[in-house]
Every structure is written in structure tokens, then in C-alpha cells.
Amino acid sequence: MWCVAVAAGSFRRYATYRVATAAGVFTNTVFGFIVAYTFVALWAERPHLGGYGQAQALTFVWVAQALLAAAALMGGGGLEELQERIRTGDVAVDLYRPADLQLWWLAADLGRAGMQLIGRGVVPMAVGALVFPLALPGDALTWGWFLLSVLLGIVVSFGLRYLVALASFWLLDGSGLSLISGLACMFFSGMLLPLRVFPGGFGEVVQLLPWAAILQVPADVLIGARSGGALLRGLVFQAAWGAALLALGRLVQSAATRRVVVHGG
């Protein structure tokens, strides 16, 4: 199937950037140490902040570092190329392909994410586990649920980033919107601080936003904060947001395609 071929090609493409991958591993690991020691100090003062123990909080830190590139927690994730193709008009060529534009870029993004998860995610997590007492599960089933949750989170991330990329059909320059989107993802995904830590109604609201499906839910699955019914609700929450964002992206894509036709693209 062409989707598999596109994903495999994207995986191989990103695998060729060995120096960039090594630099990313180093950066993620160093940043992980900085945040981890910050969390050590914070949880020493508030041992059960957000309902997490210190080991769970530290695990959250290293999960964030492992997913930083794979889930594009700071935005980007390769869809800048789509934005540029829209800006230059080269997207007209993409629309003539015998493949759906959204599915093409989703397949490419999944291939990219797979490479980033292996290339930039495994080492920081392993280093974190060697240095800090992490709350990692000992059973394969939990790891399996975690990987499924990560996959759903990446789909949600793609859905958000794809909408941002499509906005370039109406904007002269989409870089500003991409920056805002990246900042929103960093804050509302739980990358800077777990969303469970936020107090009152604000904490409840941010856990209902789509960004929570990208990091907060997968991290909670891994550290055991979600099990049984809570695990199922978390996966349904991710799947619902993924389906909604892909459907919305389909509608925006349809409107954008009509715009290209109107302007002679």
C-alpha cells in the first residue's frame, strides 16, 4: 500500500541525518537533566504534587524528552515543508498525485515520528533510568498500552500541525502561527509541568484540550496513573481528538483546494 511506502521512505529519509540525530539526543539528555533536577527540588518541597510521587514525576520528565521530537512537542515536525510548498505554489503538484494530500502527509509524519522515537527517544530515556529512580512498569502489557497511546498522541499532534500548515493557504507567512502553535503545545501538553499540577478548574480544563492527548495521557499510562477504566477513557479521549482533528483538517483541505482552483492553481 502506498501509505506504507511513504512512511517507510520518510523513516529512511530522517535516518540519514545521523549527526542531527546525535545532536538531538545530546540536547534532549542535557535538557532532561536540567528539568529532572528542578523536579527533584520541587517534589522535595511538595512530595505528592499533582498526585505524583517523585519517581513518577521524574519519569514524566524523561517521557517528555523521549517524545520531544517524535510528537513534535515544540511544533514543526516536518510540516514546515508543506507550508513552504503552499507558499510557493508547489502544492498544486501534490494535489495532482493519485493520493490524498492529508493521508500522504500523515503517513510521512508517522514514518518521521517512528525514526525520531527510536533515534532520539530511547537513549535519553535509558540515561534517565540509569541516573534517576524512575517509575517504569515491569510488565510488557503496560509498555504495549503506552506505545499505543504514543501512536494516538502523534496522530493528534499531526492533526493540530496539519491545520496550522493549511492556514498558509490564507496567510502570506505561516511562521508566526507555527510559533504560537509550538508554544501552546509546550505548555498545554504538560511538557513544562504535568497538567495534573495545575489547580482548580484551570487544571481540569487543560486536561480536556487536545494537547493533553499528546504527552499527558501517554506519560500517565506509563507511570501507572491510568489503569483499568481510566486507561480506556484516556485512549478513547486520544482517539476522539485524533478523529475530530483529522475530520476538521479534511474540511479545511477541501476549502483550501477550492481556493487553489479559483486562483488557477
Side-chain angles (χ1 to χ4, degrees), residues 124-211:
M125 176 66 82
V127 171
L130 288 173
V131 178
F132 299 94
L134 303 186
L136 296 175
D139 60 297
L141 183 59
T142 301
W143 282 101
W145 287 122
F146 168 68
L147 291 177
L148 174 59
S149 183
V150 168
L151 174 61
L152 292 173
I154 290 171
V155 172
V156 172
S157 172
F158 168 81
L160 290 167
R161 289 179 287 117
Y162 189 70
L163 287 171
V164 171
L166 290 181
S168 296
F169 277 105
W170 290 271
L171 301 176
L172 294 176
D173 185 359
S175 58
L177 184 60
S178 296
L179 178 60
I180 294 172
S181 176
L183 291 174
C185 187
M186 288 175 61
F187 184 81
F188 291 113
S189 68
M191 177 184 167
L192 299 179
L193 200 63
L195 301 181
R196 289 171 178 256
V197 171
F198 297 136
F202 179 74
E204 296 176 2
V205 169
V206 294
Q207 292 185 65
L208 297 177
L209 299 178
W211 294 280

Side-chain angles (χ1 to χ4, degrees), residues 13-103:
R13 174 188 175 187
Y14 281 90
T16 60
Y17 301 122
R18 296 182 178 87
V19 175
T21 299
V25 168
F26 177 78
T27 302
N28 286 11
T29 304
V30 170
F31 189 68
F33 273 99
I34 294 172
V35 179
Y37 280 116
T38 302
F39 275 37
V40 167
L42 182 58
W43 259 260
E45 294 293 326
R46 301 282 299 277
H48 302 290
L49 185 62
Y52 297 124
Q54 187 180 83
Q56 290 177 311
L58 290 172
T59 306
F60 200 104
V61 171
W62 292 103
V63 170
Q65 295 310 306
L67 298 183
L68 181 64
L73 294 177
M74 299 179 70
L79 290 185
E80 306 92 335
E81 181 181 349
L82 175 57
Q83 285 183 307
E84 180 63 17
R85 293 183 68 81
I86 293 173
R87 189 187 68 81
T88 61
D90 291 340
V91 71
V93 177
D94 301 335
L95 294 173
Y96 276 110
R97 289 174 178 162
D100 179 75
L101 183 69
Q102 185 186 52
L103 290 179

